[in-house]
Amino acid sequence: MKVFTYSPGGVHPDESKITKDFPFEVFKSPPVVVIPLQQHTGAPNNPLVSVGDYVKVGQKIGDTNQFVAAPVHASVSGKVLAIEDRLLPNGTKGKCVVIENDYKDEWVELSKRDSFEDLPREEILKVIRDKGIVGLGGASFPTAVKLSPPPNKVIDIIIGNGAECESYLTVDNRVMLEYPDKIIKGILIEMQITGAKRGIIAVEENKEDAALLLNKKVQEMGLSNVEVVLVKTKYPQGGEKQLIKAVLNREVPSGGLPLDVGVVVQNVQTLKAITEAILEDKPVIERGITVSGDAVEKKGNFIMRIGTPASFIIDTLGLNRKLRKLIFGGPMTGIAQASVDVPVIKGTSGILMFGEEALEMAPQEESPCIRCASCVDSCPMGLMPFLIDHASRRKDLQEAERLHALDCIECGVCSYVCPSKRHLTENIKGVKQAIIKQKKIEAAKQAAFEKLKQQRQKEKEMS
């Protein structure tokens, strides 16, 4: 297979794919699950249950009538103990439904289907939304929304994202090796929804066995409109914009989205979840997760219930040294946790545990920028991180925006390569938030001005 890639930028950190050959194991169900009502980008859900209620596995326990949202479901059967604020993996607190597991594993009734080809587009989208599917690669954007582009946007290609470029993580690799049929059917379902004529599954070349298996399955299914391609092993190859550039040589415009160039990119685990939702009527109540790092005794890839507390995972798998750092996600974009009480959510692709060696990962004291341009050469978005950093430190939002700070994908590459250990990513994230906040303030002012203008015009007409 030809190997595709993008330019400029990217790095190749130590892969540490320790669990690559560890097949999925079903992780034991915890005695209590903590299920956040909001696990997606968008509007928060409202609880659909009350304290003391009995819930079944797969029962919808939180939802909203807002468009950009995804409901949540009970991952165990049992009694609702509490609906209260709990610490979440993103460092904030949010409303959670706490369920005591009765270990009966009693499911809601499921209505399975033999096929999807005869289903109307709207019905498929409704199922995807009702089953709570979000981007399981970590972004957690509601999938039904992603598959509903504006009428003026034509989608011609669906890309299945099997790059998995973060170190340590191997869960997507195992999904491709163990559930290839569901990934391919997920691509076909998305092609039916969007009208796309072509599907591509892009796999990093360090997972060639998965690519070959997927390609074999595509051939066996006689699909001429789906192909499997290899992409170069480098970080962040799995970024949507980088993957589109690598595979199709299309460039998403500044401030734009993949749909602006006719593409939808979907993580392979999300594609599997779509197939399970449509054909098995199964909501997102569990997901595949890589557990790795030097401090955990039993590493592996596990199918875990949503809401499983990290403390239960640590007690079950054991530690071989004192835990100094717990990360949800990969080492580049994951979030270090302040507590072991945080639960697994839909966006949790990996849980990494480290001991003393974590001290090397901690932010180090900064030195002055030496203008070496390493951050510029490595930035996958073609930005000038050191200049944006300077603007951020000066609180010059106008200059930071002029330098396209909002196009930063926060991959962390600039900080990774900086010889002066400057906190580039952190500062750029900060200035992005400040720019977005300023835009909201300006929009609110403009809206208030327009409202006042209309009110005065109305008063003038009535006088």
Side-chain angles (χ1 to χ4, degrees), residues 80 166 188 212 218 369 379 390 445:
V80 176
E166 278 258 22
L188 295 174
L212 292 173
V218 167
C369 174
C379 177
H390 291 168
K445 285 181 178 176

Side-chain angles (χ1 to χ4, degrees), residues 13-201:
D14 181 13
E15 295 180 21
S16 299
K17 303 279 190 183
I18 304 164
T19 55
K20 180 181 178 183
D21 298 320
F22 291 31
F24 277 123
E25 295 180 42
V26 176
F27 200 79
K28 68 178 182 180
S29 188
V32 172
V33 293
V34 178
I35 301 178
L37 283 168
Q38 183 171 10
Q39 302 178 44
H40 56 269
T41 302
N45 290 317
N46 300 311
L48 301 178
V49 293
S50 302
V51 175
D53 285 356
Y54 181 80
V55 296
K56 297 180 179 180
V57 183
Q59 179 177 332
K60 193 185 291 186
I61 58 174
D63 201 355
T64 173
N65 57 8
Q66 297 298 307
F67 178 59
V68 184
V72 294
H73 303 75
S75 59
V76 299
S77 60
K79 181 181 175 183
V80 176
L81 294 178
I83 301 174
E84 59 189 18
D85 286 342
R86 292 286 186 100
L87 187 63
L88 306 179
N90 65 2
T92 66
K93 281 192 173 183
K95 199 72 75 183
C96 298
V97 178
V98 183
I99 304 171
E100 182 181 38
N101 191 353
D102 66 0
Y103 286 100
K104 293 179 181 176
D105 222 22
E106 190 174 356
W107 273 77
V108 294
E109 189 174 344
L110 302 179
S111 300
K112 298 185 179 181
R113 299 178 178 84
D114 294 327
S115 64
F116 62 89
E117 287 83 356
D118 296 331
L119 292 176
R121 173 183 182 273
E122 291 72 21
E123 186 173 341
I124 297 176
L125 283 172
K126 183 176 184 303
V127 173
I128 289 173
R129 197 237 178 244
D130 285 348
K131 298 306 173 186
I133 298 177
V134 300
L136 298 179
S140 299
F141 190 79
T143 302
V145 179
K146 191 172 189 176
L147 294 172
S148 305
N152 63 332
K153 301 292 182 184
V154 177
I155 304 299
D156 62 343
I157 296 179
I158 305 292
I159 296 180
N161 188 349
E164 195 169 50
C165 53
E166 278 258 22
S167 302
Y168 288 95
L169 303 187
T170 59
V171 62
D172 287 352
N173 188 17
R174 295 311 312 179
V175 169
M176 290 188 285
L177 287 170
E178 298 182 41
Y179 304 97
D181 293 342
K182 289 186 176 181
I183 292 171
I184 295 167
K185 286 179 182 175
I187 283 261
L188 295 174
I189 291 170
E190 290 208 352
M191 290 169 66
Q192 180 164 321
I193 293 172
T194 60
K197 303 299 182 190
R198 188 179 167 203
I200 300 172
I201 304 173

Side-chain angles (χ1 to χ4, degrees), residues 70-363:
V72 294
H73 303 75
S75 59
V76 299
S77 60
K79 181 181 175 183
V80 176
L81 294 178
I83 301 174
E84 59 189 18
D85 286 342
R86 292 286 186 100
L87 187 63
L88 306 179
N90 65 2
T92 66
K93 281 192 173 183
K95 199 72 75 183
C96 298
V97 178
V98 183
I99 304 171
E100 182 181 38
N101 191 353
D102 66 0
Y103 286 100
K104 293 179 181 176
D105 222 22
E106 190 174 356
W107 273 77
V108 294
E109 189 174 344
L110 302 179
S111 300
K112 298 185 179 181
R113 299 178 178 84
D114 294 327
S115 64
F116 62 89
E117 287 83 356
D118 296 331
L119 292 176
R121 173 183 182 273
E122 291 72 21
E123 186 173 341
I124 297 176
L125 283 172
K126 183 176 184 303
V127 173
I128 289 173
R129 197 237 178 244
D130 285 348
K131 298 306 173 186
I133 298 177
V134 300
L136 298 179
S140 299
F141 190 79
T143 302
V145 179
K146 191 172 189 176
L147 294 172
S148 305
N152 63 332
K153 301 292 182 184
V154 177
I155 304 299
D156 62 343
I157 296 179
I158 305 292
I159 296 180
N161 188 349
E164 195 169 50
C165 53
E166 278 258 22
S167 302
Y168 288 95
L169 303 187
T170 59
V171 62
D172 287 352
N173 188 17
R174 295 311 312 179
V175 169
M176 290 188 285
L177 287 170
E178 298 182 41
Y179 304 97
D181 293 342
K182 289 186 176 181
I183 292 171
I184 295 167
K185 286 179 182 175
I187 283 261
L188 295 174
I189 291 170
E190 290 208 352
M191 290 169 66
Q192 180 164 321
I193 293 172
T194 60
K197 303 299 182 190
R198 188 179 167 203
I200 300 172
I201 304 173
V203 184
E204 268 194 350
E205 57 184 336
N206 62 354
K207 295 176 272 290
E208 189 173 14
D209 52 347
L212 292 173
L213 177 61
L214 283 162
N215 191 52
K216 179 184 173 189
K217 292 288 182 182
V218 167
Q219 301 304 318
E220 288 175 354
M221 294 168 76
L223 299 172
S224 58
N225 54 354
V226 178
E227 62 181 312
V228 182
V229 302
L230 286 175
V231 289
K232 187 175 180 179
T233 301
K234 71 175 181 179
Y235 178 85
Q237 185 69 81
E240 285 190 338
K241 294 175 181 177
Q242 286 66 43
L243 205 55
I244 293 169
K245 176 70 175 175
V247 176
L248 302 173
N249 197 29
R250 297 183 187 178
E251 192 158 326
V252 178
S254 175
L257 296 169
L259 60 83
D260 291 319
V261 292
V263 182
V264 167
V265 179
Q266 206 70 269
N267 171 266
V268 290
Q269 195 160 179
T270 311
L271 293 170
K272 169 180 171 285
I274 288 173
T275 300
E276 291 174 345
I278 302 300
L279 299 182
E280 301 172 19
D281 204 24
K282 182 180 175 183
V284 181
I285 57 101
E286 61 188 10
R287 63 156 298 149
I289 294 175
T290 296
V291 180
S292 190
D294 295 330
V296 61
E297 183 68 33
K298 180 176 168 51
K299 304 170 181 56
N301 295 294
F302 302 93
I303 302 294
M304 286 190 191
R305 303 285 178 116
I306 301 298
T308 301
S311 56
F312 181 75
I313 297 167
I314 294 169
D315 290 343
T316 302
L317 299 180
L319 297 172
N320 56 30
R321 65 194 71 180
K322 185 176 181 181
L323 182 63
R324 297 296 298 268
K325 193 163 192 174
L326 174 68
I327 298 174
F328 269 38
M332 295 293 271
T333 58
I335 299 175
Q337 301 300 313
S339 167
V340 296
D341 294 328
V342 292
V344 164
I345 60 174
K346 294 176 186 178
T348 309
S349 55
I351 297 176
L352 306 181
M353 305 180 200
F354 298 99
E356 291 294 330
E357 65 277 6
L359 298 177
E360 297 177 6
M361 304 178 189

